[in-house]
Amino acid sequence: MPDDAAPSPVINALLDRISSRQEDVVALTQDLVRIPTVNPPGDNYKPCAELLGERLRKRGFEIAYVRAEGAPGDTDRYPRINVIARRESGRPGPCVHFNSHIDVVEPGAGWTVDPFGGVVKDGRVYGRGTCDMKGGLAASVIAVEALLDSGIDPPGVLEISGTADEESGGYGGVAYLAERGWFSSPRVDHVIIPEPLNVDRVCIGHRGVWWARIETLGQIAHGSMPFLGDSAIRHMGAVMEKLEHELYPVLNARRSNMPVVPDGARTSTLNINSLHGGQGEEFEGLPAPLVADSCRMIIDRRFLIEEPLDMVRGEVKDILDALEAERPGFRYSLTELFSVLPTLADENGPVAQATARAVRQVLGRPAQFICSPGTYDQKHVDRIGKLKDCIAYGPGVLDLAHKVDEWVGIDDMVASAKVMALSALALLTREG
């Protein structure tokens, strides 16, 4: 449908049907949030997957439960259970897949409501995972159910999945499934991931990430005679000094052409995720007087599509090598923990354009094409599944993800369900 065309009576009826299911989208969000799927360690994946699977089974979907055996974190106590629901129309056409992760981060302290209560107030549903991203999952279910009930009967295939471990990299979820063909053509053609990137935005990609552990080494000695030892903590201090005065200014000066939000994320960033040296702190009482012989730092480097991964690694290694050459006694190890290349879908591709047109139809304003500051499961759909027509779109305010008193707006869930229903319809009928 052209952007300026008046919606047909059939489309208006579909949108009205979704409006009438506001209580349903709220109730489903509450049911999902009340299952505390905290990762790590990966609690309650099975009951959450079964809640989704049983609901969709009753709607005529074929349900598959896939355990990511052998994936990081998968154990008999914490099985990585994924659910994939598929409904074929019986007529040739593409497959539109809505993928949401079911895991959430720990709630943390300071909540003013029960983080797993699904409290409704002031037009919002509160709770850990409401925004990121069980509200989006609920909205996608309502969108698909309303489309099936509309009488339009589009051709092709609809899929909905609830997957594990996105918060810890997605290796027990979308990555595992993608390696086995669940996110590849010809099984799937278009993927929408309802991540919380604001209801009027279409997210076409994300920055890259490189996590690494730096360890500086020293020599243990009595704390009253530190000159007889060699402090690994002081060596790490020299590393931090180099990062502060040599690397951070370089990163701050770089700027991407990717439309990353917020604006500060259009530059390269480096976060010191943790720092520990010397004796542990897990005991009560006073420590022994010792010179630290080891100090460890975890760094989280987010990089731009214009930056090759080898350069990202090399900039840190060059600093460490320079210190090894110029600082007496300096020794180090550098261990890569995790890396993902930046991802960028075509904003003129079918799924991006169909979703953008639907945003304009539903909200009456143009969609903004953006990229995410952090990674999400598009990386696995793209790199492993080799499926490029994948975007993120869903309700929720990005800045609320992982915060205390997380919430999702009820009106935004309803609006995003309308957008997802129209997007799916356009793609299934090849109008996207």
Side-chain angles (χ1 to χ4, degrees):
M1 181 188 301
D3 288 348
D4 56 355
S8 69
V10 173
I11 295 299
N12 281 330
L14 171 60
L15 299 180
D16 289 344
R17 186 181 298 274
I18 294 172
S19 292
S20 72
R21 298 186 180 185
Q22 175 177 300
E23 291 184 3
D24 198 5
V25 74
V26 169
L28 179 54
T29 303
Q30 290 176 302
D31 288 344
L32 291 165
V33 168
R34 288 166 180 164
I35 303 175
T37 48
V38 176
N39 177 34
D43 282 321
N44 300 308
Y45 285 167
K46 188 172 186 284
C48 190
E50 289 176 343
L51 170 69
L52 180 62
E54 183 60 18
R55 177 175 179 133
L56 294 172
R57 184 190 64 79
K58 294 176 181 177
R59 299 305 309 266
F61 283 77
E62 178 185 344
I63 307 301
Y65 296 103
V66 180
R67 176 176 170 180
E69 295 190 42
D74 177 70
T75 64
D76 288 340
R77 182 176 180 184
Y78 300 111
R80 268 45 191 173
I81 302 295
N82 302 278
V83 58
I84 306 95
R86 180 178 177 91
R87 189 180 190 279
E88 299 185 9
S89 69
R91 291 179 291 135
C95 174
V96 177
H97 184 115
F98 292 95
N99 164 250
S100 298
H101 66 84
I102 60 174
D103 61 320
V104 302
V105 297
E106 65 179 47
W111 285 72
T112 63
V113 296
D114 179 355
F116 298 110
V119 172
V120 176
K121 64 176 182 177
D122 302 326
R124 302 168 176 176
V125 184
Y126 284 83
R128 176 57 82 220
T130 49
C131 171
D132 185 15
M133 59 179 297
K134 290 178 176 179
L137 170 55
S140 71
V141 171
I142 298 305
V144 169
E145 289 179 344
L147 181 57
L148 294 175
D149 291 341
S150 68
I152 297 174
D153 191 26
V157 180
L158 284 165
E159 285 191 342
I160 298 179
S161 62
T163 51
D165 283 6
E166 189 274 344
E167 297 292 3
S168 55
Y171 294 101
V174 172
Y176 185 91
L177 295 171
E179 288 168 352
R180 288 153 181 81
W182 291 87
F183 285 93
S184 296
S185 180
R187 179 187 173 88
V188 177
D189 298 282
H190 314 288
V191 177
I192 296 174
I193 303 176
E195 286 278 8
L197 291 149
N198 297 23
V199 74
D200 58 354
R201 292 170 167 177
V202 177
C203 183
I204 55 176
H206 55 69
R207 294 190 299 175
V209 57
W210 182 64
W211 281 55
R213 179 176 63 246
I214 300 169
E215 182 176 16
T216 51
L217 304 172
Q219 183 176 350
I220 197 167
H222 197 289
S224 68
M225 296 176 287
F227 46 85
L228 298 180
D230 187 17
S231 173
I233 295 175
R234 290 185 63 185
H235 287 313
M236 188 63 80
V239 175
M240 295 181 69
E241 181 79 5
K242 286 269 191 182
L243 293 177
E244 190 68 33
H245 295 288
E246 296 183 13
L247 186 55
Y248 276 111
V250 172
L251 302 185
N252 291 338
R254 293 176 186 160
R255 189 164 178 84
S256 180
N257 288 322
M258 294 176 71
V260 185
V261 294
D263 188 68
R266 291 193 73 170
T267 63
S268 298
T269 59
L270 187 150
N271 179 58
I272 297 174
N273 193 69
S274 64
L275 181 66
H276 178 78
Q279 294 179 331
E281 300 175 345
E282 62 278 358
F283 60 90
E284 296 182 3
L286 294 174
L290 293 173
V291 175
D293 61 357
S294 173
C295 187
R296 295 165 301 285
M297 176 195 294
I298 304 295
I299 59 172
D300 177 354
R301 173 77 162 82
R302 304 298 170 124
F303 63 99
L304 313 175
I305 203 165
E306 294 87 355
E307 298 175 289
L309 180 56
D310 285 347
M311 183 181 80
V312 170
R313 295 181 178 119
E315 288 175 328
V316 173
K317 190 174 188 304
D318 287 348
I319 284 175
L320 298 171
D321 287 345
L323 283 168
E324 193 171 48
E326 68 191 35
R327 183 177 173 87
F330 186 89
R331 294 177 295 141
Y332 77 91
S333 66
L334 177 64
T335 305
E336 180 171 310
L337 303 177
F338 177 63
S339 67
V340 171
L341 295 176
T343 293
L344 186 64
D346 183 1
E347 72 175 62
N348 294 311
V351 71
Q353 285 297 306
T355 307
R357 281 195 293 273
V359 167
R360 181 185 285 274
Q361 287 175 253
V362 172
L363 300 178
R365 59 183 183 269
Q368 180 186 5
F369 289 104
I370 62 146
C371 290
S372 172
T375 70
Y376 55 94
D377 278 331
Q378 183 177 346
K379 58 184 177 282
H380 300 312
V381 176
D382 180 0
R383 304 292 178 184
I384 302 174
K386 308 299 182 186
L387 185 63
K388 301 298 182 182
D389 204 41
C390 174
I391 57 99
Y393 171 79
V397 178
L398 175 62
D399 295 352
L400 296 175
H402 299 191
K403 295 188 74 173
V404 167
D405 285 349
E406 180 184 349
W407 56 267
V408 64
I410 295 170
D411 288 345
D412 281 353
M413 285 196 290
V414 173
S416 69
K418 293 177 179 179
V419 170
M420 286 188 267
L422 292 182
S423 302
L425 179 59
L427 292 164
L428 291 170
T429 57
R430 303 189 188 276
E431 294 180 5

